[in-house]
Amino acid sequence: MKRILRIDASARQRRSLTRTLGNSFEERWQSLRPEDTWERRDLAQEPPAHICDDWIVAAFTPDEDRSPEQEQLLAPSERMIEELAAADVIVLTTPMYNYGLPSTLKAWIDNVVRKDRTFSFDLERGDWPLDPLLAGKELVVLTACGEFGFEPGGARDGMDHLLPHLETLREFLGAATMHVVRIEYQEFGDRRYRASLKAGRADARELAERLAMRVPELQ
């Protein structure tokens, strides 16, 4: 039995394209592996707190020296890290907002990418002191954007600050690989959008099938 952590970052609920992709992925996975367990976190319904000065002080205070108030301040972060650590597959459904991450997703990342919890820090390593502590996971990113052409050589090459950000961070989430399904052209609402929507749903189902069939390889 495997554990899947699904994180929804769209501010929209019923009209969310990324949630639709997530549902397509989840339904196909569950049809193949009904015994697997799913943990769900909706960042719109339960936004993580943005980190603050007191949070940073608490996070960098050794466990044995933290006050009860500091432990309480870090408790939501600990719960999110526990969910992440327990997962074999992370399914992240997120739109592109202003060419980057939704603020709630950035807040979640800031809460889970923590020294001595998801990465170690040692200056003896020289210019690369950070080392991920989690491993063995798959990261699935199901996303949508209003425009198009963010791929290398495309009309908006270099303007995508969502996927490169997640690709940079994936090792700190414990993922060796990142799989992406994206819907484009949403703001245009034309045949290109309809084709992208149809393809995105099919691709999400195909990706779920492909990963579910080889999930025993995940350790």
Side-chain angles (χ1 to χ4, degrees):
M1 185 174 70
K2 297 298 178 180
R3 296 176 63 90
I4 300 93
L5 173 61
R6 174 173 169 174
I7 299 170
D8 294 311
S10 176
R12 288 180 170 178
Q13 296 291 323
R14 281 174 283 184
R15 295 186 300 127
S16 168
L17 292 178
T18 57
R19 292 175 190 271
T20 296
L21 289 179
N23 292 341
S24 295
F25 183 97
E26 182 173 343
E27 289 165 6
R28 184 55 180 150
W29 185 291
Q30 289 184 336
S31 73
L32 296 167
R33 296 181 58 90
E35 72 280 9
D36 290 344
T37 60
W38 288 71
E39 183 79 30
R40 297 173 183 83
R41 179 170 286 273
D42 189 327
L43 302 183
Q45 295 291 327
E46 189 180 357
H50 290 284
I51 65 173
C52 62
D53 186 32
D54 288 342
W55 188 98
I56 294 171
V57 172
F60 281 85
T61 298
D63 294 358
E64 63 274 13
D65 295 333
R66 286 188 191 128
S67 67
E69 292 77 17
Q70 288 177 319
E71 294 286 356
Q72 183 177 4
L73 184 60
L74 292 176
S77 169
E78 291 292 337
R79 287 194 294 271
M80 287 182 268
I81 291 171
E82 288 170 4
E83 292 171 353
L84 174 64
D88 299 295
V89 180
I90 308 158
V91 178
L92 176 57
T93 77
T94 177
M96 176 190 286
Y97 285 166
N98 296 318
Y99 303 103
L101 281 68
S103 63
T104 52
L105 178 55
K106 182 59 168 65
W108 178 81
I109 289 170
D110 290 342
N111 273 272
V112 300
V113 179
R114 261 179 60 192
K115 180 178 176 289
D116 297 328
R117 296 295 280 113
T118 51
F119 70 90
S120 63
F121 184 90
D122 187 352
L123 287 175
E124 292 297 322
R125 302 186 187 119
D127 290 343
W128 299 90
L130 280 68
D131 192 44
L133 295 176
L134 302 179
K137 306 178 190 300
E138 297 272 4
L139 174 61
V140 172
V141 179
L142 307 173
T143 185
C145 55
E147 296 174 298
F148 66 95
F150 295 97
E151 70 280 357
R156 293 173 178 83
D157 185 1
M159 295 175 67
D160 178 359
H161 301 285
L162 171 68
L163 295 181
H165 193 150
L166 295 174
E167 173 63 25
T168 298
L169 287 169
R170 62 170 172 74
E171 287 188 304
F172 296 100
L173 304 179
T177 55
M178 185 173 85
H179 310 274
V180 178
V181 174
R182 175 155 64 185
I183 298 170
E184 297 184 311
Y185 301 100
Q186 181 182 5
E187 297 302 330
F188 297 88
D190 54 15
R191 59 177 179 77
R192 298 173 299 176
Y193 163 66
R194 291 188 293 273
S196 185
L197 176 59
K198 182 179 179 180
R201 288 171 171 166
D203 289 346
R205 290 191 294 269
E206 187 277 331
L207 177 59
E209 181 173 343
R210 178 157 48 89
L211 293 181
M213 295 304 289
R214 71 176 181 86
V215 77
E217 300 175 11
L218 301 178
Q219 300 296 331

